[in-house]
Amino acid sequence: MPTLKRVTEALMLPGLFLSAAAHASLERDAVYNLPSGVTPLSHEIYHLHMYGLWVMIILAVLVFGTLFYSTWAHSRRRHPVPAKFRENTKLEAVWTIVPFLILISMALPAAATLVKAYNTSDPYMTVQVTGSQWRWEYEYPAFGIGYVSSIDAKSNEASMLGSPIKPQDVPHYLRNVDNPMVVPVGKKIRLLITSVDVDHAWSVMDLGVKKNAYPGFINEAWFTANRIGTYTGQCTVLCGRGHSYMPTVVKVVSMEDFDAWTKQQLAAGHTLHIHDGCDAAAAAGDAVLKEHPAPDVCGPGTKAHWLGTGPARHGK
Amino acid sequence: MAEQTIHGEALEHGPQADHGHGPPKGIMRWISTTNHKDLGTLYLVFSCLMFIIGGIFSLVVRAELMEPGLQFLDPSTYNEFMTMHALVMIFGAIMPGFVGLANWMVPMEVGASDLALPRVNNWGFWLLPFAFVLLFSGFFMPGGAPQFGWTMYPPMVLQMGAAFPFMIFAVHLMGISSITGAINVAVTILNMRAPGMTLMKMPIFAWSWLITAYLLIVTMPVLAGAVTMLLTDKYFGTSFFDATGGGDPILYEHVFWFFGHPEVYIMILPAFGIISTIIPTFARKPLFGYESMVYALACIGFLSMIVWAHHMFADGLPLPAELFFMFSTMLISVPTGVKIFNWVATMWRGSMTYETPMLFSIAFVVLFSIGGFSGLMMAMAPVDFQYHNTYFIVAHFHYVLVPGAAFSIIAAVYYWLPKWTGVMYNEKLGKLHFWLSLVFINVIFFPQHFLGLAGMIRRTADYPVQFADWNMVSSIGAFAFFASQFIFFYILIRCLWFRKGMVKATDRVWDGAYGLEWVVPSPAPYHSFHEPPGEYVDAESPWVLDVDHGPMAARG
Amino acid sequence: MEKVATNENPHYFVPTPVPWPFILLIGITLTIFGFGHWLEGYVTVIPWKLLVIVGPVIFFSIVFRWFWGVVHESERGAYNRQVDMTYRMGMGWFIFSEVCFFGAFFGALFYTHVLSIPWLGGEGAKFFTGSVLWPDFTPVWPSNGPGAVGGEFEAMAPWGLAAINTVLLVTSSFTLTWAHHALKDSSRAKCIAFMILTVALGLVFLSLQAYEYHEAYTIQNLTLHSGVYGSTFFMLTGFHGLHVTIGTIMLIVITCRLFAGHFTPERHFGFEGVAWYWHFVDVVWILLFTFVYIL
Ligand code: HEA
Ligand code: HEA
Ligand code: CUA
Ligand SMILES: [Cu+2]
């Protein structure tokens, strides 16, 4: 019977599900849930998320449980004569007020966390993050360091249509860059996020940061990474054909390593200069640029000077 | 029935006045028709076609996403299919689907002969094919079809190629179509109800459409304004969205989402109406809390206009704005919850049978709620920083849109198909269609929650390797789901064109069904009511009399 | 057989099939294809040029033919009370949608005036935007932004032409109302006289606005390119002017119909619908005058 066959096929799918889950969980632990991250803020967000999730699960069990019980118990076979009631003011009041209270229990802690996320004052240092199609530029005004961060050559090669290199063979495929942002551990870092052409977004989940970058405006964000390591993310606002190839990678290092790094950067000539964002990005001449040539529109809001303006020194 | 209908211009032509009684033949029937049933059919056929095209686009998307790396498509081409998928589904499939249902059912349900403005109705429908010709023409132009998301954010979208003006004008035309449709339905409901049918006795589907019409009329012109500003920014040197001239790209987002959020409720309110019609029928029990359902609809309609910036939590809005939109967004789940609870209460202690429309409706209640729950999680602004623009969002809105809006359309088609065609569809195949759809829809979209939480970004043709497995599952689900829809197409084709050997439908069709649409024969006559059907309306209950069994004594 | 249609018939009005909407759409689509290609710079390609002419010709002929049919139906008494109410409600919802269309542009005006310009100057939470990106920008309205897009310009003065225009348009709303009263009192000649006066006021308004635009472009260097001030100014007044134009055309049509003996003191929705539209245009102008010119 063909019908039966189709049904059995359908029934086999949950099995596929489970095996996929088992397989997937070997790759990385956070493959089915939000990472708890490494900053105080990301922990808080994680707990809010888990609270929300459990509220939803409990509500789902209650609501769907009632519904499914009813489909079983009140089918025409088991319950041939339907009841006639059509309203119940008390009950309706309850299910208006109780959800409202649940919402308050979600809204208040969320508001508290939000206020924290918005408090970018008194950072250890400020890094200006400028998006452009399709790379990030990091500037450390306090150190006079500035450089461009683009996708690593290997990911880029593997990502080409018909590339012989398989993404599976590239370590940290699409989540790796040539020059990551480097910050010291345990220090509050303020990010000034902007763009020179179209909208982008700088985001690293483990740091609890996702902020859109707009040409002509600066958005602020902050994080304090409490664990040494490399944390990765991607540009999250569609920004054209290179959107998938704009990783955001942050290396959190010890203070000593950070000092060494700054010296090394200055020696390597990654110094800040007054520039036009587009020119700088193009001059960097990375592989993505060659493969996915930027349109010659450099968009509005081309960047003005960074060095020499007073407020910039707020950074330190 | 006595010939009471007055005809339009035919008056001038003397003998040809008969035209109004039956349709002209051939293609001209469809081009020039002013009949609400003909136009409803056209809308539904168009919607079905767009479901298929949009579905194929989604399969292209899922095929590319099956494995990491680029297999078939250049990223730009991927973005074209992704964007066109969304535009086709929203403006071509779901909205015309609901307008089609309103065309067919609202006049019948309120006891009118036709919609209020039949000629405008014809125009409203034909706008759509022309708009989509303009939209699709982008595929053949330098620079390609629209490819920057259905949200069309500047400055990105200003980099589009030659198809840009055609996208803008297509949106204008679709907007005009929606506005004409909305005015038509609203005026029909407000002006042409059968005598004795007060607003609070009106079928709930008509109520849901009245609120939808209101939302359409408030928000579609705003969308038109938003895209007009895009057009002038690109071609006429204005700087609405350009900081150098004092504008702001976020301004566009505000204007767009002022339209965009009500838009998602435009895509769900008629679905609520459909579900509120179907569940009582098969529970054989009146809708629980009719009045609170109406108030909840109105409340959702109002709240939906003050929550738009929850799509912009990561934009860096000022803190007070962020807080306001967080609270207002959460608030909207209270009236939505009332609806869910009322449906469960309607089923409670009913006497249920599980025909296909009912199955789809139950699936709607459960799966829409899952989508709503993830929506509520996203309403917590700081947590949305993590969810934003990941597949968690994609999972959320597909749960409310596919097993939500699309399932409701499918349920409505099963529910009213016998009334439209005069024959019963094949219940066994219908059930099979349901179970396959139910399983595979979850196979497609449930794993996307995991992908999103683990950080897979949306609108990407390529992704890091750790997301490979769930994407594979999701893609397999997509192909299987699409394949399952062929059962539905088979059922539809049988009922429409190959009716030999099929069971004739009774007028009442479902033994628990109430409403004026069930007092006319199946298939419904070309003009449902030549005279206002006053005698059927019960003076007290929002229920229309049960013609066979006397008034439904449903006071509890 | 057909019943004679009278106002008293309580039953439904059902029009016969019409080809006009479809042909209208052919006109619209041709126009768009021509205009779109023209925008994209394919001006030299003859077919596209031709479309920009052919399309609108079809469009306007069909609009004329469609309304002509409706007017004749109306005059033959095909519309009962229900249809009359339908048209009233339809017109009401339509005007509401127009209000919302203007809402988008007013929203843009408020946003740029109240939020984005100050932000670009570094006010509020956007301290860094001003100090880092636009250190030389002082946020004052009217503004063409930190990039001084379009060069220096002179803003529109409210108490010149615009004030005169306000008086004209408000007066025209009154003359129109008087015309309406005259129609209701069956004094057709008086009604026509007031209609002519209304149309004249509308035309003078439009001429003054054209003159104002001319001044703006030639003397004040105020153009669509003048940053957000120029953008919001011209988009709002431009779309308003377009609506005044449409309104004036409709008033002229109504005046012609009055000459032709249409409308009765009791039933004249065609007249009232146009009057509503004109009042709507008037209200929008008052908002414009307040928010665009004065503030
Ligand atoms: C039909 C369409 C539809 C519907 C009905 C909804 C309903 C909701 N949506 Fe959704 N949404 C979309 C379609 C829809 N959405 C789309 C298309 C997008 C993405 C657009 C894009 O970016 O492309 C989106 C995006 C979106 C975002 C932005 C995410 C982001 O981009 O970062 C948010 C954030 O708050 C959100 C929230 C909500 C909420 C709170 C609801 C609520 O209305 C849900 C209410 C329902 C329930 C809560 C379940 C039932 C209730 C109960 C059982 C009662 C008990 C519960 C409690 C009250 C605790 N939605
Ligand atoms: C109503 C809207 C709708 C519907 C139905 C769907 C259906 C589907 N969507 Fe869609 N999708 C969107 C709206 C919708 N989507 C939107 C708004 C976006 C965001 C785009 C953006 O980012 O800009 C999106 C994005 C989107 C993505 C993310 C792309 C990306 O971010 O890169 C993916 C990926 O898997 C996807 C997949 C699918 C699949 C597999 C289906 C399948 O379910 C499709 C299968 C087919 C059907 C559901 C049709 C069946 C119905 C019938 C046969 C009814 C017949 C009707 C009548 C008889 C009247 N969609
Ligand atoms: Cu930059 Cu996406
Ligand atoms: Cu929303």
Side-chain angles (χ1 to χ4, degrees):
Chain A
M1 237 168 76
T3 322
L4 198 69
K5 191 155 162 262
R6 285 221 198 91
V7 173
T8 37
E9 267 169 32
L11 288 178
M12 270 155 59
L13 245 122
L16 184 65
F17 242 111
L18 291 180
S19 71
H23 184 145
S25 55
L26 297 179
E27 298 264 349
R28 198 184 138 205
D29 39 0
V31 94
Y32 46 83
N33 199 3
L34 204 65
S36 150
V38 296
T39 73
L41 207 60
S42 74
H43 293 316
E44 253 179 60
I45 292 177
Y46 174 77
H47 291 303
L48 273 174
H49 159 76
M50 288 315 286
Y51 176 66
L53 188 61
W54 279 113
V55 170
M56 297 312 145
I57 289 174
I58 292 166
L59 277 169
V61 168
L62 290 178
V63 179
F64 305 160
T66 317
L67 186 145
F68 286 130
Y69 172 76
S70 175
T71 58
W72 176 78
H74 306 138
S75 70
R76 183 153 66 180
R77 198 153 53 82
R78 286 203 183 71
H79 196 250
V81 184
K84 308 242 182 233
F85 64 90
R86 62 164 75 181
E87 58 209 351
N88 182 335
T89 315
K90 260 190 222 138
L91 201 60
E92 289 176 71
V94 168
W95 68 47
T96 312
I97 293 167
V98 170
F100 192 74
L101 298 178
I102 297 175
L103 291 180
I104 291 179
S105 80
M106 290 164 69
L108 292 182
T113 306
L114 189 67
V115 171
K116 277 182 211 152
Y118 263 66
N119 180 2
T120 54
S121 60
D122 303 323
Y124 172 72
M125 75 179 178
T126 299
V127 180
Q128 191 179 352
V129 179
T130 308
S132 64
Q133 285 172 319
W134 292 278
R135 60 194 58 67
W136 291 100
E137 192 181 0
Y138 298 118
E139 286 161 288
Y140 296 66
F143 299 90
I145 295 171
Y147 57 93
V148 168
S149 167
S150 327
I151 191 166
D152 67 310
K154 214 155 171 223
S155 285
N156 193 46
E157 231 182 303
S159 76
M160 294 302 147
L161 201 52
S163 163
I165 309 175
K166 284 176 78 178
Q168 283 82 351
D169 301 337
V170 181
H172 311 293
Y173 177 62
L174 299 189
R175 288 285 181 98
N176 197 2
V177 290
D178 49 6
N179 304 308
M181 176 196 276
V182 178
V183 296
V185 69
K187 296 276 193 260
K188 180 169 182 177
I189 313 294
R190 165 164 60 197
L191 304 175
L192 302 184
I193 300 168
T194 184
S195 157
V196 289
D197 38 41
V198 301
D199 303 355
H200 301 273
W202 195 87
S203 131
V204 176
M205 268 194 168
D206 286 320
L207 303 178
V209 176
K210 181 177 288 153
K211 211 51 150 202
N212 289 11
Y214 293 98
F217 289 86
I218 284 182
N219 271 335
E220 296 174 42
W222 69 275
F223 65 85
T224 306
N226 287 331
R227 187 142 43 100
I228 289 176
T230 303
Y231 305 103
T232 64
Q234 282 170 279
C235 169
T236 52
V237 168
L238 178 57
C239 53
R241 48 180 311 185
H243 167 56
S244 319
Y245 310 107
M246 226 179 131
T248 49
V249 181
V250 178
K251 239 168 104 176
V252 178
V253 297
S254 69
M255 204 60 199
E256 300 82 70
D257 289 352
F258 183 70
D259 284 341
W261 176 81
T262 50
K263 292 206 185 78
Q264 176 217 329
Q265 290 299 304
L266 290 170
H270 288 167
T271 45
L272 264 181
H273 44 284
I274 295 169
H275 66 284
D276 175 301
C278 283
D279 288 351
D286 60 291
V288 185
L289 187 67
K290 281 196 205 111
E291 282 307 324
H292 311 295
D296 48 4
V297 203
C298 251
T302 298
K303 187 132 137 260
H305 325 281
W306 169 263
L307 273 184
T309 50
R313 305 217 177 79
H314 274 281
K316 193 134 192 184
Chain B
M1 205 171 276
E3 222 15 271
Q4 303 276 14
T5 314
I6 305 163
H7 299 284
E9 285 191 53
L11 275 180
E12 292 152 34
H13 308 144
Q16 285 144 28
D18 273 337
H19 274 185
H21 303 259
K25 296 281 167 291
I27 183 82
M28 276 316 282
R29 164 174 178 183
W30 300 105
I31 286 181
S32 63
T33 182
T34 53
N35 179 276
H36 74 105
K37 300 200 179 75
D38 280 354
L39 283 161
T41 307
L42 281 173
Y43 266 115
L44 287 170
V45 168
F46 181 78
S47 157
C48 192
L49 198 73
M50 287 293 148
F51 264 122
I52 295 170
I53 296 177
I56 291 171
F57 287 172
S58 81
L59 292 190
V60 174
V61 163
R62 282 310 333 165
E64 178 55 56
L65 292 176
M66 214 142 173
E67 289 173 35
L70 299 179
Q71 283 81 42
F72 318 100
L73 303 175
D74 173 89
S76 298
T77 321
Y78 173 90
N79 289 344
E80 285 173 45
F81 280 104
M82 179 270 290
T83 303
M84 291 297 283
H85 157 69
L87 290 172
V88 166
M89 283 298 196
I90 290 174
F91 293 105
I94 300 285
M95 291 172 69
F98 284 140
V99 181
L101 291 170
N103 254 275
W104 255 98
M105 301 321 299
V106 165
M108 276 211 244
E109 286 196 343
V110 303
S113 66
D114 204 312
L115 282 179
L117 299 156
R119 284 180 287 234
V120 175
N121 194 20
N122 173 304
W123 192 48
F125 168 73
W126 282 107
L127 273 162
L128 287 172
F130 284 92
F132 275 88
V133 167
L134 286 172
L135 196 62
F136 288 136
S137 69
F139 276 115
F140 309 100
M141 289 183 185
Q147 51 187 285
F148 299 114
W150 78 283
T151 49
M152 303 175 280
Y153 281 5
M156 184 77 246
V157 75
L158 303 179
Q159 295 184 352
M160 225 176 105
F164 181 80
F166 302 101
M167 171 181 78
I168 302 292
F169 291 126
V171 171
H172 279 138
L173 294 192
M174 295 185 251
I176 297 171
S177 166
S178 300
I179 291 170
T180 58
I183 293 180
N184 237 322
V185 176
V187 175
T188 308
I189 291 172
L190 292 175
N191 191 35
M192 300 177 74
R193 288 191 313 280
M197 186 184 277
T198 61
L199 280 178
M200 276 321 223
K201 281 181 212 153
M202 193 162 73
I204 192 91
F205 178 62
W207 252 116
S208 71
W209 243 105
L210 186 59
I211 308 282
T212 307
Y214 167 77
L215 286 180
L216 279 166
I217 288 170
V218 174
T219 61
M220 291 313 285
V222 176
L223 173 68
V227 297
T228 305
M229 287 188 250
L230 286 180
L231 190 80
T232 57
D233 259 19
K234 176 145 172 147
Y235 295 112
F236 299 100
T238 57
S239 3
F240 290 107
F241 311 128
D242 173 0
T244 42
D248 186 345
I250 297 183
L251 168 59
Y252 176 84
E253 300 186 24
H254 280 294
V255 185
F256 180 86
W257 286 116
F258 180 81
F259 147 80
H261 185 83
E263 167 69 14
V264 308
Y265 284 93
I266 287 164
M267 291 189 283
I268 208 68
L269 292 187
F272 288 169
I274 290 166
I275 301 307
S276 305
T277 311
I278 293 178
I279 287 186
T281 296
F282 294 98
R284 291 173 184 75
K285 193 164 153 284
L287 180 63
F288 184 90
Y290 172 88
E291 285 184 21
S292 63
M293 285 301 228
V294 171
Y295 295 135
L297 281 170
C299 198
I300 294 172
F302 169 73
L303 284 174
S304 76
M305 290 186 302
I306 56 162
V307 302
W308 71 87
H310 65 215
H311 297 274
M312 303 157 62
F313 281 148
D315 282 21
L317 302 177
L319 182 59
E322 203 101 344
L323 287 169
F324 170 80
F325 286 108
M326 176 165 96
F327 297 143
S328 62
T329 301
M330 289 186 165
L331 215 53
I332 210 165
S333 38
V334 175
T336 316
V338 166
K339 302 199 78 75
I340 303 276
F341 297 135
N342 282 1
W343 287 323
V344 176
T346 306
M347 291 165 62
W348 188 257
R349 301 196 40 231
S351 181
M352 280 183 281
T353 49
Y354 302 102
E355 283 86 348
T356 316
M358 181 64 162
L359 290 174
F360 273 102
S361 301
I362 294 174
F364 174 97
V365 176
V366 174
L367 299 180
F368 171 80
S369 294
I370 294 180
F373 287 147
S374 58
L376 202 47
M377 292 168 72
M378 284 145 43
M380 294 189 281
V383 194
D384 185 61
F385 292 167
Q386 300 287 44
Y387 302 148
H388 182 59
N389 274 349
T390 65
Y391 263 73
F392 195 71
I393 309 298
V394 176
H396 157 68
F397 67 72
H398 280 95
Y399 262 89
V400 284
L401 282 169
V402 189
F407 270 26
S408 81
I409 293 179
I410 296 175
V413 169
Y414 276 114
Y415 185 62
W416 282 309
L417 197 60
K419 177 56 65 187
W420 299 340
T421 62
V423 292
M424 274 314 280
Y425 62 86
N426 182 329
E427 191 64 62
K428 269 207 187 104
L429 281 180
K431 288 205 167 111
L432 179 67
H433 173 217
F434 166 74
W435 285 109
L436 291 177
S437 297
L438 177 72
V439 169
F440 291 123
I441 204 70
N442 287 296
V443 176
I444 311 178
F445 295 118
F446 207 81
Q448 294 187 355
H449 290 115
F450 304 148
L451 286 171
L453 292 176
M456 175 165 165
I457 61 173
R458 63 188 278 208
R459 294 172 170 171
T460 175
D462 195 354
Y463 49 84
V465 177
Q466 69 261 34
F467 306 128
D469 300 313
W470 287 129
N471 268 302
M472 177 62 89
V473 174
S474 178
S475 290
I476 293 172
F479 282 96
F481 181 81
F482 193 81
S484 324
Q485 302 312 311
F486 282 91
I487 303 171
F488 188 40
F489 301 142
Y490 171 78
I491 290 171
L492 287 176
I493 289 169
R494 270 307 291 278
C495 289
L496 289 171
W497 293 300
F498 301 97
R499 303 187 210 176
K500 226 189 230 142
M502 294 191 75
V503 183
K504 258 199 70 63
T506 57
D507 293 357
R508 184 79 182 283
V509 184
W510 314 108
D511 61 343
Y514 290 86
L516 284 175
E517 70 260 44
W518 309 112
V519 306
V520 299
S522 302
Y526 200 55
H527 290 294
S528 332
F529 298 99
H530 289 262
E531 286 175 83
E535 70 264 37
Y536 294 117
V537 179
D538 170 0
E540 272 167 45
S541 104
W543 288 77
V544 164
L545 280 194
D546 168 357
V547 272
D548 304 325
H549 307 105
M552 173 129 170
R555 294 275 155 197
Chain C
M1 262 328 308
E2 282 307 325
K3 262 204 165 178
V4 179
T6 65
N7 293 343
E8 271 60 57
N9 195 310
H11 302 306
Y12 301 113
F13 167 76
V14 177
T16 45
V18 280
W20 312 132
F22 192 85
I23 307 178
L24 186 69
L25 277 162
I26 294 176
I28 293 175
T29 309
L30 292 181
T31 313
I32 291 175
F33 260 99
F35 187 53
H37 283 98
W38 176 73
L39 284 177
E40 271 292 316
Y42 297 91
V43 263
T44 45
V45 187
I46 315 265
W48 302 135
K49 260 188 186 166
L50 210 63
L51 287 187
V52 184
I53 299 164
V54 174
V57 167
I58 300 180
F59 177 85
F60 288 113
S61 342
I62 295 298
V63 168
F64 180 80
R65 176 60 187 81
W66 190 345
F67 276 101
W68 187 81
V70 171
V71 166
H72 276 255
E73 274 173 13
S74 167
E75 285 306 308
R76 278 161 176 265
Y79 296 164
N80 54 23
R81 287 204 192 289
Q82 190 174 53
V83 177
D84 191 64
M85 188 44 107
T86 288
Y87 282 145
R88 280 163 198 279
M89 287 183 171
M91 192 67 187
W93 284 86
F94 171 69
I95 289 179
F96 183 38
S97 79
E98 290 268 55
V99 171
C100 296
F101 180 72
F102 277 98
F105 294 100
F106 275 111
L109 173 68
F110 298 148
Y111 186 92
T112 49
H113 187 161
V114 181
L115 295 174
S116 75
I117 291 287
W119 280 344
L120 288 164
E123 280 173 26
K126 297 286 178 193
F127 170 73
F128 280 107
T129 301
S131 56
V132 174
L133 297 180
W134 315 106
D136 308 325
F137 178 59
T138 356
V140 279
W141 188 264
S143 168
N144 54 356
V149 173
E152 219 165 280
F153 67 91
E154 191 192 320
M156 270 299 162
W159 302 114
L161 283 182
I164 298 175
N165 259 348
T166 312
V167 175
L168 288 180
L169 217 51
V170 172
T171 315
S172 76
S173 256
F174 280 108
T175 55
L176 186 59
T177 309
W178 284 323
H180 190 190
H181 284 300
L183 181 60
K184 282 204 266 192
D185 296 344
S186 320
S187 30
R188 185 164 293 258
K190 200 170 139 200
C191 175
I192 290 177
F194 273 122
M195 284 303 289
I196 293 178
L197 190 58
T198 312
V199 170
L201 286 169
L203 290 175
V204 175
F205 174 93
L206 284 172
S207 328
L208 287 185
Q209 205 185 11
Y211 180 72
E212 190 186 59
Y213 274 20
H214 179 75
E215 295 271 283
Y217 265 78
T218 52
I219 298 174
Q220 292 165 254
N221 189 32
L222 172 60
T223 69
L224 262 180
H225 299 255
S226 303
V228 278
Y229 181 75
S231 312
T232 50
F233 175 80
F234 281 105
M235 291 294 270
L236 274 163
T237 56
F239 272 114
H240 177 262
L242 185 70
H243 282 74
V244 177
T245 312
I246 297 170
T248 310
I249 294 172
M250 297 198 305
L251 286 172
I252 293 173
V253 171
I254 292 298
T255 315
C256 294
R257 288 183 63 188
L258 283 163
F259 271 115
H262 293 185
F263 305 129
T264 65
E266 294 80 33
R267 292 182 45 103
H268 45 260
F269 177 69
F271 185 100
E272 286 176 303
V274 173
W276 293 356
Y277 194 80
W278 193 254
H279 294 318
F280 145 72
V281 166
D282 199 16
V283 171
V284 172
W285 175 261
I286 290 169
L287 293 177
L288 270 179
F289 184 60
T290 317
F291 293 114
V292 177
Y293 288 88
I294 299 181
L295 293 180

